[in-house]
Amino acid sequence: PGSAYPFAGLCGAAVACKLCCAMFDRAHGRQDAAPTNASVGAGLAPPASRAALNALVDLVAVATVADVMPLTDENRTFVKYGLAMLREGRRPALACLLGVAGIDPARVSSRDIAFGVAPRINAAGRLEDAAAGVELFLTDDPARMREIAQRMDALNRERQAIQKKCVDDCMALARDAGPFLLLRPPAAHEGVSGIVAGKVREATGLPCAVVAESADDGALYLKGSARSAGRLDLIALLRRHEEFFVRVGGHAAAAGFLIRAGDEEQLRAALCADLAALLADDPALLDEEETVDADVAPEDVTEALADALEALAPFGAGWREPLLSFTALPSDITDVRAMGADGAHGRFKAAGVPCTWFRWDPDLLGKPLQITGTLGWNHFRGQKILQFTVAQVQEIIV
């Protein structure tokens, strides 16, 4: 509050980097060192510190994506140049993580950071000790670096198993709950509560908080992570009930808190009652608004269009991939096949457009459809394959 800095979307690592640059320039005689705006290449830092900043920009890029910061303004520059560093393999620790994640460094993207690199770094802190991540970036021993990266990979797989069990438990509890989901699953683990809350929110469309037991000085507390839905200001809703919280903090979209175990039921009832009243005044409060950027004809979904859209990257929070939409009749659907061990996903062609649909409903493919999604490239076993990733399928009347 009260800051005159022109961009408020920096993550902690970016702020630390800016501070280091300012200190560097002060130490070299510049008294007006504090950077004010713009980019790595022109004005992000004074000339004396620009080389130091450029050496750190890959770390800032990883932190920016991992913290789900908006990829606009300065963050966009950090991530663009940081990805270029990652592709060149300049930092051995990150190269090791890309290796254990099976990511080709030459084509690493912001999505690879979000779903490949960041989860492995975070897994150590969630399940064991975050110091492992610090050592990974500080050690000069290649063998030790590989050992830590492999351990992080193993912990990430363990985290995924814990997360899946916790999501399954939460979905069972959510059937008879709401409109605010305050869930205490049997498989709760505070290291994955935030991820699980997000998954449940995505599946149900309702704001969700997942709590896990946390003992302190012999007393039993519940530590929670919450995720909002639609336009609901989550932290404002929680702060209406400060009397229940030992600690609470966050923002409109996400929050964390600590409560006494005995207050769980009262807090759940209070949040549900408040949200029900808000919904009575604004029934669309929790609706997720995703605007289609372009209605296209199937014949316009081409490699040239994929290349043009790729030029808009990096994508992420605040700068999502463009959503395209087209219609397809039952006679347009060909080459249908299931994917995954349980057939939960599918591939098909719609009027010649190669589509991939995660968590699909194959029964819909026999009806007239409006298909919405993103267009890009799938790099697989040395091949570059055009792919339309389906985000939504709606039955239409023709």
Side-chain angles (χ1 to χ4, degrees):
S3 172
Y5 194 79
F7 180 54
L10 298 176
C11 68
V15 173
C17 183
K18 289 298 197 74
L19 176 61
C20 289
C21 290
M23 292 173 66
F24 184 95
D25 280 284
R26 286 289 179 93
H28 287 76
R30 284 185 59 104
Q31 297 305 307
D32 58 339
T36 57
N37 204 355
S39 70
V40 170
L44 182 65
S49 62
R50 198 165 297 154
L53 171 61
N54 287 345
L56 298 172
V57 73
D58 57 337
L59 298 179
V60 178
V62 170
T64 297
V65 174
D67 284 348
V68 200
M69 305 307 291
L71 295 193
T72 56
D73 205 276
E74 289 182 83
N75 286 341
R76 192 154 188 77
T77 304
F78 278 132
V79 175
K80 175 182 176 180
Y81 285 93
L83 286 172
M85 283 184 67
L86 282 170
R87 289 168 189 147
E88 293 169 4
R90 294 193 204 176
R91 195 173 302 276
L94 288 174
C96 273
L97 283 175
L98 291 173
V100 298
I103 297 168
D104 181 357
R107 286 192 285 265
V108 65
S109 66
S110 55
R111 181 179 178 83
D112 292 324
I113 294 176
F115 294 99
V117 175
R120 285 166 172 81
I121 295 174
N122 289 337
R126 293 182 192 280
L127 300 186
E128 279 190 351
D129 189 346
V134 177
E135 185 183 358
L136 174 72
F137 287 95
L138 293 181
T139 183
D140 293 323
D141 182 351
R144 178 61 180 152
M145 202 177 290
R146 285 192 297 273
E147 180 185 352
I148 296 172
Q150 288 166 357
R151 178 59 183 158
M152 286 181 164
D153 187 53
L155 287 171
N156 189 53
R157 289 195 298 273
E158 184 180 340
R159 186 269 307 167
Q160 289 171 328
I162 293 170
Q163 176 183 314
K164 184 180 185 307
K165 173 66 172 128
C166 195
V167 169
D168 290 344
D169 287 350
C170 283
M171 290 304 297
L173 293 171
R175 292 193 192 105
D176 302 314
F180 191 100
L181 301 176
L182 178 59
L183 307 175
R184 186 179 177 182
H189 189 297
E190 66 180 71
V192 301
S193 293
I195 303 173
V196 171
K199 295 285 186 185
V200 175
R201 183 275 315 275
E202 289 173 10
T204 63
L206 298 175
C208 177
V210 176
V211 298
E213 293 183 2
S214 179
D216 187 8
D217 294 331
L220 183 62
Y221 295 92
L222 297 177
K223 184 179 287 187
S225 289
R227 299 293 182 268
S228 187
R231 293 176 284 106
L232 175 68
D233 188 334
L234 178 61
I235 192 63
L237 179 67
L238 296 179
R239 289 198 184 281
R240 291 187 181 192
H241 304 285
E242 294 270 10
E243 69 274 15
F244 292 118
F245 297 107
V246 178
R247 293 194 301 271
V248 62
H251 48 80
F257 58 83
L258 186 72
I259 63 172
R260 292 169 290 273
D263 288 338
E264 177 189 354
E265 289 298 333
Q266 285 181 280
L267 178 60
R268 180 182 291 111
L271 292 173
C272 284
D274 270 4
L275 183 53
L278 291 171
L279 288 169
D281 292 336
D282 184 358
L285 177 65
L286 301 182
D287 291 355
E288 299 291 342
E289 298 179 3
E290 282 212 302
T291 305
V292 171
D293 296 289
D295 289 302
V296 296
E299 57 267 26
D300 294 328
V301 182
T302 62
E303 294 182 355
L305 179 58
D307 287 337
L309 295 175
E310 191 173 50
L312 301 175
F315 300 112
W319 190 267
R320 62 168 174 77
E321 292 185 69
L323 281 174
L324 310 179
S325 189
F326 64 92
T327 59
L329 300 175
S331 58
D332 295 326
I333 305 299
T334 59
D335 301 340
V336 179
R337 59 188 179 89
M339 300 190 308
D342 55 0
H345 318 301
R347 291 186 191 275
F348 59 94
K349 288 185 178 179
V353 177
C355 298
T356 298
W357 185 6
F358 296 101
R359 295 181 294 277
W360 72 332
D361 181 358
D363 292 338
L364 278 177
L365 297 180
K367 302 171 182 176
L369 300 174
Q370 189 72 33
I371 301 174
T372 302
T374 57
L375 181 65
W377 293 102
N378 178 22
H379 297 274
F380 183 68
R381 294 180 180 174
Q383 292 184 299
K384 184 179 177 181
I385 305 166
L386 189 69
Q387 177 173 290
F388 190 91
T389 302
V390 175
Q392 185 181 55
V393 173
Q394 291 180 303
E395 185 179 356
I396 59 174
I397 298 173
V398 293

